[in-house]
Amino acid sequence: MSNNAVTATEEKSLRLQNFHITFFAIVLGMAGFSLAVQKVGGHGGDGILPVLETPATILVYITIALFVLVGLIYAAKLVRHPDTLGKEFNHPVKINFFPLVAKIFLVLSVAYLDRDMQVSYYLWITGAILQFIASIVIISIWIRHTHFKIEHMTPGWFIPIVGSLIVPIAGVPHGFVEISWFFFSVGLVFWIALFTIVMYRMIFHPPIPDRLLPTLFILFAPPAIAFIAYIKLAGLAGHDAGLDGFSRVLYYFSLFMFILILFKVQILAKINFFLSWWAYSFPLAAKTLATVVMFHMTHSVFYKNLVLFELAVLALVILILIVVTANAISKAEICVED
């Protein structure tokens, strides 16, 4: 075998070794985008933009295919380089990305509520179990650790918690009301606690590193998802139901954080591409979905226009992320050692 062949083989092995858990953020972003397009497109012509109904179906299938592809590559990595799992799980930042898998199952379970209730049920069961396990394991590590520092804290730490807030969205339609309240309670209380710590870290400690700045978008995802989940749990959904005070607090806090982060776009636009850029996608999808619910609750033209604006921003961001990610892959700029 030639030296070039050996080098190429070693390079492929190294690239596989550096295929990190964060790649599932791409799948989650696409899942969120698919669900946002589906909800804006509606079902049977009853959506805000019915023309999106067919594209939404295509996007769901693309997301599932991407999920399978990323899952197979990551599984191959674990087979070839099993030692890397421990390194990622002990990493103060990457450990918080392991629950992405559970969140993908949960988001897909919501997407299938209007497509196939049986498939949605199995996706939800899988996602809820994985979310529960991830929450117990990761929070246990948070409580008793030897290597975390305040500088490690970013909005990315919300990831293990946000999944619990997603559970009720499909859990309630499937009849698991008390279990959904259980997950919602865990997610809401831990979000409030972590939000306080994140704000303390950002105000009184050195700035978040450039490569993790995109995680700022995660700041408005938990209240947006909590708003949707609470509407389900409180039985407020429906033409004759009204918003209560708590639901308004959740939605408007999310809206404020969304506006606040938009004022930081000029800073975010200057940083180099990292895989963490995909942190832009799912929070934008969550915010869009929350506004869709708000529109259906109020029938206000303002929220209808806001839905269209947020979906346009989300679609543009997804397009940019796909282009820059494909460009980075072609130049071998990702799957490299940190």
Side-chain angles (χ1 to χ4, degrees), residues 179-201:
I179 292 176
S180 294
W181 272 112
F182 169 81
F183 277 98
F184 180 79
S185 303
V186 172
L188 186 68
V189 173
F190 270 100
W191 163 59
I192 294 172
L194 290 174
F195 181 78
T196 304
I197 299 171
V198 167
M199 291 303 296
Y200 165 77
R201 181 258 185 272

Side-chain angles (χ1 to χ4, degrees), residues 1-18 80-81 335:
M1 184 179 292
S2 66
N3 289 335
N4 288 338
V6 172
T7 302
T9 301
E10 291 176 348
E11 182 180 352
K12 288 180 180 179
S13 179
L14 185 61
R15 295 279 295 277
L16 182 62
Q17 185 176 347
N18 290 310
R80 292 284 301 275
H81 308 282
C335 292

